[in-house]
PDB file of all heavy atoms in Angstrom:
ATOM      1  N   ALA A 268     -13.601 202.011   8.760  1.00  0.00           N
ATOM      2  CA  ALA A 268     -12.624 200.952   8.995  1.00  0.00           C
ATOM      3  C   ALA A 268     -13.326 199.663   9.449  1.00  0.00           C
ATOM      4  O   ALA A 268     -13.009 198.571   8.977  1.00  0.00           O
ATOM      5  CB  ALA A 268     -11.592 201.381  10.037  1.00  0.00           C
ATOM      6  N   ALA A 269     -14.295 199.775  10.341  1.00  0.00           N
ATOM      7  CA  ALA A 269     -15.040 198.607  10.812  1.00  0.00           C
ATOM      8  C   ALA A 269     -15.855 198.005   9.681  1.00  0.00           C
ATOM      9  O   ALA A 269     -15.918 196.782   9.557  1.00  0.00           O
ATOM     10  CB  ALA A 269     -15.937 198.968  12.004  1.00  0.00           C
ATOM     11  N   LEU A 270     -16.473 198.850   8.889  1.00  0.00           N
ATOM     12  CA  LEU A 270     -17.262 198.377   7.741  1.00  0.00           C
ATOM     13  C   LEU A 270     -16.355 197.652   6.745  1.00  0.00           C
ATOM     14  O   LEU A 270     -16.724 196.608   6.235  1.00  0.00           O
ATOM     15  CB  LEU A 270     -17.965 199.567   7.100  1.00  0.00           C
ATOM     16  CG  LEU A 270     -19.007 199.266   6.046  1.00  0.00           C
ATOM     17  CD1 LEU A 270     -20.123 198.361   6.599  1.00  0.00           C
ATOM     18  CD2 LEU A 270     -19.601 200.571   5.497  1.00  0.00           C
ATOM     19  N   THR A 271     -15.176 198.208   6.506  1.00  0.00           N
ATOM     20  CA  THR A 271     -14.220 197.588   5.586  1.00  0.00           C
ATOM     21  C   THR A 271     -13.782 196.236   6.082  1.00  0.00           C
ATOM     22  O   THR A 271     -13.671 195.289   5.327  1.00  0.00           O
ATOM     23  CB  THR A 271     -13.003 198.522   5.365  1.00  0.00           C
ATOM     24  OG1 THR A 271     -13.457 199.768   4.852  1.00  0.00           O
ATOM     25  CG2 THR A 271     -12.001 197.905   4.429  1.00  0.00           C
ATOM     26  N   LYS A 272     -13.557 196.156   7.403  1.00  0.00           N
ATOM     27  CA  LYS A 272     -13.123 194.879   7.994  1.00  0.00           C
ATOM     28  C   LYS A 272     -14.256 193.843   7.921  1.00  0.00           C
ATOM     29  O   LYS A 272     -14.031 192.678   7.596  1.00  0.00           O
ATOM     30  CB  LYS A 272     -12.716 195.071   9.437  1.00  0.00           C
ATOM     31  CG  LYS A 272     -12.124 193.886  10.101  1.00  0.00           C
ATOM     32  CD  LYS A 272     -11.615 194.182  11.496  1.00  0.00           C
ATOM     33  CE  LYS A 272     -10.997 192.948  12.075  1.00  0.00           C
ATOM     34  NZ  LYS A 272     -10.468 193.179  13.415  1.00  0.00           N
ATOM     35  N   ALA A 273     -15.489 194.298   8.172  1.00  0.00           N
ATOM     36  CA  ALA A 273     -16.625 193.388   8.153  1.00  0.00           C
ATOM     37  C   ALA A 273     -17.029 192.949   6.760  1.00  0.00           C
ATOM     38  O   ALA A 273     -17.405 191.812   6.548  1.00  0.00           O
ATOM     39  CB  ALA A 273     -17.834 194.033   8.840  1.00  0.00           C
ATOM     40  N   ASP A 274     -16.921 193.875   5.805  1.00  0.00           N
ATOM     41  CA  ASP A 274     -17.377 193.552   4.431  1.00  0.00           C
ATOM     42  C   ASP A 274     -16.521 194.305   3.412  1.00  0.00           C
ATOM     43  O   ASP A 274     -16.985 195.329   2.852  1.00  0.00           O
ATOM     44  CB  ASP A 274     -18.860 193.877   4.276  1.00  0.00           C
ATOM     45  CG  ASP A 274     -19.466 193.215   3.045  1.00  0.00           C
ATOM     46  OD1 ASP A 274     -18.733 192.808   2.135  1.00  0.00           O
ATOM     47  OD2 ASP A 274     -20.733 193.121   3.002  1.00  0.00           O
ATOM     48  N   PRO A 275     -15.309 193.862   3.184  1.00  0.00           N
ATOM     49  CA  PRO A 275     -14.421 194.595   2.259  1.00  0.00           C
ATOM     50  C   PRO A 275     -14.969 194.644   0.818  1.00  0.00           C
ATOM     51  O   PRO A 275     -14.748 195.631   0.120  1.00  0.00           O
ATOM     52  CB  PRO A 275     -13.111 193.797   2.312  1.00  0.00           C
ATOM     53  CG  PRO A 275     -13.431 192.481   2.903  1.00  0.00           C
ATOM     54  CD  PRO A 275     -14.659 192.680   3.732  1.00  0.00           C
ATOM     55  N   ASP A 276     -15.724 193.645   0.399  1.00  0.00           N
ATOM     56  CA  ASP A 276     -16.323 193.682  -0.949  1.00  0.00           C
ATOM     57  C   ASP A 276     -17.340 194.790  -1.073  1.00  0.00           C
ATOM     58  O   ASP A 276     -17.423 195.476  -2.102  1.00  0.00           O
ATOM     59  CB  ASP A 276     -16.956 192.329  -1.305  1.00  0.00           C
ATOM     60  CG  ASP A 276     -15.907 191.226  -1.469  1.00  0.00           C
ATOM     61  OD1 ASP A 276     -14.748 191.549  -1.752  1.00  0.00           O
ATOM     62  OD2 ASP A 276     -16.304 190.047  -1.344  1.00  0.00           O
ATOM     63  N   LEU A 277     -18.154 194.981  -0.037  1.00  0.00           N
ATOM     64  CA  LEU A 277     -19.156 196.039  -0.026  1.00  0.00           C
ATOM     65  C   LEU A 277     -18.482 197.419  -0.146  1.00  0.00           C
ATOM     66  O   LEU A 277     -18.852 198.246  -0.975  1.00  0.00           O
ATOM     67  CB  LEU A 277     -20.028 195.980   1.207  1.00  0.00           C
ATOM     68  CG  LEU A 277     -20.982 197.173   1.376  1.00  0.00           C
ATOM     69  CD1 LEU A 277     -22.065 197.114   0.331  1.00  0.00           C
ATOM     70  CD2 LEU A 277     -21.588 197.178   2.741  1.00  0.00           C
ATOM     71  N   VAL A 278     -17.485 197.636   0.668  1.00  0.00           N
ATOM     72  CA  VAL A 278     -16.777 198.935   0.661  1.00  0.00           C
ATOM     73  C   VAL A 278     -16.049 199.122  -0.659  1.00  0.00           C
ATOM     74  O   VAL A 278     -16.070 200.222  -1.232  1.00  0.00           O
ATOM     75  CB  VAL A 278     -15.840 199.071   1.857  1.00  0.00           C
ATOM     76  CG1 VAL A 278     -15.035 200.382   1.786  1.00  0.00           C
ATOM     77  CG2 VAL A 278     -16.635 199.029   3.152  1.00  0.00           C
ATOM     78  N   GLY A 279     -15.513 198.060  -1.201  1.00  0.00           N
ATOM     79  CA  GLY A 279     -14.880 198.150  -2.504  1.00  0.00           C
ATOM     80  C   GLY A 279     -15.850 198.542  -3.600  1.00  0.00           C
ATOM     81  O   GLY A 279     -15.584 199.380  -4.485  1.00  0.00           O
TER      82      GLY A 279
END
Side-chain angles (χ1 to χ4, degrees):
L270 189 58
T271 301
K272 187 175 182 179
D274 196 341
D276 291 337
L277 173 68
V278 175

